[in-house]
Amino acid sequence: ALQALASMLQDHARDFERSAQNESDGATSVSCRSSLLVGLGGGPASIGSPHRNYLLQAIIQALSQPQLAEIRDMVNNVFTESTKFTRNVNAMRHQECFALKSQDNGMMEIIRKAFLANVDDIYKKADEYAEVHGMHVSVRYTSSRGYYLSVPVDSAPNLPNVFIQPIKSGRHIYCTTEEVHSLNTRAQDNVQDLLLMTYERVQQVLEEVRSKYDALAALSDGIALLDLCHGFADKVTLSKL
């Protein structure tokens, strides 16, 4: 995205210079269509000036620093493309556990497979309980309790003894079983191990990124200045006064 933006600004400046050189009478019309270039010091008044497009070139240089490409490659090499934020607690936990690429970490891949196997066994147990006891059994998840089971409140009078730690909440009874509790404990242990590995790798990436802070600061300032100049130039060129 940064390379595309820098390329666009360079093309914009070259197009204006060609138009200004080939058709001096049309320079005003070009500048009216190019309010961004006017705001960056590239208007007709700058033609022939030794400082023509000086601000534009400075922003392009800020967007084209090799350190930015190194940061991008570093992030792409560490994080998976599917990593994203979600408000769902269970989905977010999966995002955290599978945010990193694990080609160079065999232990992480083993723990991930163990975690998926434990969660899959919990859902299989829920289906098994539903079939054996003839009731609807679903799997729930919270960050504090982990994985547990939910059955309709109508099942309370005849709730089988296999279901333990029952808690009534609205139209449902939240409970677990010895097997589900054991699988949940293993899954939570897997999650803690994965989060620890993820945290350590993210800290390594942050340390490397901090060493290139100057490039990021210049990038931030350049984009902020670009937005500011564009806003001012639009206001001037589109104003009826």
Side-chain angles (χ1 to χ4, degrees):
L2 295 178
Q3 292 177 344
L5 179 57
S7 178
M8 179 195 70
L9 293 175
Q10 289 173 332
D11 292 342
H12 200 45
R14 284 193 293 266
D15 290 343
F16 177 82
E17 290 178 354
R18 284 195 297 267
S19 299
Q21 292 172 357
N22 297 334
E23 191 177 351
S24 58
D25 294 336
T28 302
S29 62
V30 172
S31 65
C32 291
R33 295 192 302 271
S34 306
S35 61
L36 173 59
L37 195 58
V38 173
L40 294 173
S46 68
I47 297 176
S49 169
H51 302 296
R52 183 172 67 238
N53 298 336
Y54 176 81
L55 187 56
L56 176 60
Q57 296 300 332
I59 293 177
I60 292 175
Q61 183 178 3
L63 296 175
S64 306
Q65 297 180 85
Q67 293 90 337
L68 298 177
E70 294 175 6
I71 294 174
R72 179 202 60 204
D73 294 340
M74 187 189 313
V75 171
N76 290 338
N77 291 333
V78 172
F79 297 96
T80 60
E81 296 180 358
S82 60
T83 303
K84 60 182 180 180
F85 173 79
T86 176
R87 295 185 181 277
N88 183 281
V89 177
N90 191 21
M92 191 61 198
R93 180 52 54 89
H94 279 262
Q95 289 289 335
E96 293 171 344
C97 292
F98 293 87
L100 304 185
K101 296 180 179 179
S102 60
Q103 293 91 333
D104 300 331
N105 194 331
M107 181 58 67
M108 177 177 286
E109 188 64 26
I110 292 174
I111 296 177
R112 283 176 175 174
K113 290 181 179 179
F115 168 71
L116 292 175
N118 288 325
V119 173
D120 187 53
D121 287 342
I122 291 175
Y123 279 88
K124 288 181 179 179
K125 281 296 178 182
D127 294 338
E128 179 182 325
Y129 295 141
E131 182 178 356
V132 171
H133 301 288
M135 64 174 69
H136 179 73
V137 181
S138 60
V139 178
R140 298 292 184 92
Y141 176 87
T142 62
S143 56
S144 59
R145 188 172 181 178
Y147 293 93
Y148 58 96
L149 303 177
S150 173
V151 298
V153 71
D154 299 339
S155 306
N158 301 314
L159 189 67
N161 294 331
V162 67
F163 297 102
I164 59 177
Q165 302 175 3
I167 300 176
K168 182 180 178 182
S169 178
R171 294 180 298 176
H172 298 88
I173 295 178
Y174 300 142
C175 56
T176 186
T177 67
E178 293 289 348
E179 293 174 312
V180 170
H181 178 72
S182 176
L183 291 170
N184 176 59
T185 300
R186 292 185 223 164
Q188 296 307 309
D189 289 342
N190 296 149
V191 167
Q192 293 304 316
D193 292 337
L194 290 172
L195 292 181
L196 180 60
M197 293 180 180
T198 301
Y199 175 80
E200 292 176 349
R201 188 68 185 97
V202 169
Q203 291 305 308
Q204 293 175 4
V205 173
L206 289 177
E207 287 297 326
E208 296 180 25
V209 171
R210 289 190 187 102
S211 66
K212 300 174 175 58
Y213 173 79
D214 290 344
L216 292 175
L219 168 66
S220 178
D221 291 343
I223 292 179
L225 184 59
L226 181 66
D227 181 62
L228 179 66
C229 292
H230 192 194
F232 285 160
D234 267 348
K235 182 65 176 178
V236 172
T237 56
L238 299 179
S239 176
K240 296 181 180 180
L241 298 179

